[in-house]
Each structure stands twice: as structure tokens, then as C-alpha cells.
Amino acid sequence: MASPEIETLTQALSRLPGLGPRSARRAVLHLLKRREGAMEPLLRALEAVNERLVTCHLCGNVDTVDPCGICADPRRDPRALCVVEDVSDLWALDKSRLFPGRFHVLGGRLSALDGVRPEDLTIDALVARVEAGGIDEVVLAMNATLEGQTTAHYLAERLERFPIRLTQLAHGVPVGGELDYLDEGTLAQALRARRPVG
């Protein structure tokens, strides 16, 4: 039987996505066996991120700098804005390197069942960004779920008064699918085939 500290570490790791109790136990054993090569670098990395972690005031991404690396990148097209539900969706799209513009993270999606209302998301900040001008296209990259499509419809209504091209992801994203689980080929097809809303 392991010490309480090791059990606490195992339990903490088992709460991470994709790690159950057995996987967490294997990860802890790996870290213990390779203390200098695995555990200590992991501890330093966790401490560094923990000390510097911030939310980007422009887009809502999480990074160690504000504005985040994406917003600060001068190669990004400031006229194109991709709206996503969560940071994991932003990272999935950014990893594909297919969208040349900037992002806006809503912080979730509208859901009557979960009590998530428009004021619980960063929708007003999105409208303010578009209202400030300089944006020609807004891509609504919501997950292909009922709540995601409801959110996209609500955003389309809020943004229809602005002189922008409003598009959303097209075929390629399966119904019920979530962006951070899709492969790059599927994401590429969805971005290339985006279409106007309404």
C-alpha cells in the first residue's frame, strides 16, 4: 500500500480527462521511477505555468502572456474572427494551422438545461469587438450539438446588423461531435466549406 501522499497524487491525476485510477497509478509509478528525468521537470513546468497563467483579455484564450501569443501574432489576419465555445476548440483549430485570423472564446454554449444564459458567456465582448470595426468575417465554429447550433443561431441574430460576412463551419463536423476530438482532415474540410449563416 502506498503512502497517503502517493495516494493523494494518484487521486489527483485520476481526475484528469482520459486518466482513470489505473492509468493514474501507472503514471505515478513512472514518475517515481524516473524522478529526475520525469517528475522534477514536470514539477518545474507545472509551477511555471501555475505562476504565470492568465486569460487573454482580448480573446479569452489561456496563456502565460496577455495578450496571448495568437492575439499578439502580427501574421494573423485581424479582419477574420473565429468564434469558439471553449479554449480546447481554439487550440484544436489553431493546431490545424488552417485559420489565418484571430479567435474569440465564448466560455461555453447556451443551455437552458444547464442554466447557461447569454450573459454567462462573453457574447457582449464579441459584439463589442465586431462593433469596434476592422472585422470583415466572423466564423461561428460551434460544436455540432443542439446547444452549439442554438448558440450559433443566437450569435447570428446578435451580429446580423453589422456589415460583416457571417459564416459557420460546414459539413465535415459530425452531429454530436466536438472540435477538440476531430482530426485535422475533418477540421480542414469544415473550414474550407464554411458557408453563410441564414
Side-chain angles (χ1 to χ4, degrees), residues 6 15 24 26 29 53 57 60 63 74 76 84 88 97 105 107-108 120 122-123 141 144 148 162 176 189 195 197:
I6 293 174
R15 289 192 288 271
R26 283 195 297 272
L29 286 171
L53 190 66
H57 76 281
D63 204 339
R76 294 275 182 171
V84 294
S88 60
R97 301 189 191 286
V105 179
D120 298 324
T122 62
I123 294 172
F162 298 105
Q189 181 181 354
R195 55 187 169 77
V197 175

Side-chain angles (χ1 to χ4, degrees), residues 81-100:
L81 186 66
C82 184
V83 182
V84 294
E85 293 175 19
D86 208 342
V87 173
S88 60
D89 302 327
L90 183 156
W91 288 1
L93 284 166
D94 187 54
K95 182 181 175 193
S96 74
R97 301 189 191 286
L98 297 167
F99 184 72

